[in-house]
Amino acid sequence: AFFTSLQGTHSDGYAPVIRCRRTAIKGTIEVTLCTWDRQGLFACIAGSLTCSNLNISHADIFTRADHVVLDIFTVNDPDGRHVRNTLPLRNMSAFLEQALDVQNPLDLAQVIAETVTPPAQKISRRAKTEFEWCNRSERNATRLTVSMPDRQGLLFYICRAFSQLGLNVHAADIRTIRG
């Protein structure tokens, strides 16, 4: 569908193709996105999902050698329930389009700060944040494992920091525990 969309008369060649479907896993929707890679793309997708009040419970991202990206996100509402209507999914698409606008990109961090409700419970002081770096598993890449308490927008903030440092995420396997 992505390459077919490039031939359309209204295509700018950069707009992502997004497909959504319910999954066999109770309470989740799978959002599949295909587009050309660009700096900060993963952060923009994660931020657009967060701005739309969607919780990312799982993500797999792949970047091909020709810079085509295929990202698959499993999402639900912030309480772990089904997304009951299509409005959050349509909002996500609109947020992403605005965030990827080269001339006037939407500041997703500002939208998240204004719209995402902080968690009701405080994070325990005993909750650990751990980072594990491994340079041996891939020839031209570094593997990073992050373990920390989850909250809405966490993946966006991590990916945005990578992007601001000029780092690229070419592949990822994201899993959250309890949300």
Side-chain angles (χ1 to χ4, degrees):
F2 174 64
F3 290 110
T4 302
S5 75
L6 294 177
Q7 297 172 351
T9 57
H10 300 292
S11 175
D12 64 0
Y14 286 98
V17 171
I18 302 170
R19 301 284 187 260
C20 302
R21 71 175 183 88
R22 295 203 184 280
T23 68
I25 302 168
K26 185 178 181 185
T28 63
I29 301 285
E30 184 179 88
V31 178
T32 303
L33 184 140
C34 189
T35 189
W36 296 110
D37 194 16
R38 58 203 99 165
Q39 186 70 32
L41 175 64
F42 192 33
C44 287
I45 298 167
S48 297
L49 289 163
T50 301
C51 288
S52 303
N53 206 29
L54 295 167
N55 182 60
I56 302 166
S57 61
H58 181 96
D60 288 309
I61 72 160
F62 309 95
T63 305
R64 297 181 353 175
D66 62 357
H67 305 288
V68 173
V69 171
L70 176 65
D71 294 348
I72 304 167
F73 292 84
T74 303
V75 300
N76 48 29
D77 80 3
D79 296 320
R81 296 186 305 249
H82 265 299
V83 178
R84 301 241 180 253
N85 63 57
T86 61
L87 181 61
L89 299 168
R90 289 193 314 262
N91 287 344
M92 182 274 302
S93 184
F95 280 125
L96 183 58
E97 182 179 326
Q98 293 173 43
L100 294 175
D101 184 320
V102 176
Q103 303 297 327
N104 189 22
L106 177 66
D107 183 349
L108 292 170
Q110 180 179 345
V111 175
I112 291 171
E114 293 171 354
T115 60
V116 172
T117 306
Q121 74 266 15
K122 296 260 184 198
I123 295 173
S124 167
R125 289 182 183 220
R126 288 187 259 146
K128 288 184 177 180
T129 298
E130 297 177 356
F131 295 88
E132 180 183 332
W133 299 90
C134 179
N135 289 323
R136 288 180 238 119
S137 62
E138 300 289 331
R139 184 178 172 152
N140 295 319
T142 300
R143 178 179 299 274
L144 169 64
T145 302
V146 179
S147 300
M148 62 192 315
D150 190 24
R151 64 182 172 90
Q152 230 182 333
L154 177 62
L155 185 58
F156 164 72
Y157 288 114
I158 291 171
C159 293
R160 183 180 72 156
F162 286 168
S163 179
Q164 289 171 338
L165 292 170
L167 302 173
N168 294 311
V169 179
H170 292 282
D173 178 8
I174 312 294
R175 298 180 195 282
T176 60
I177 300 170
R178 286 181 277 140

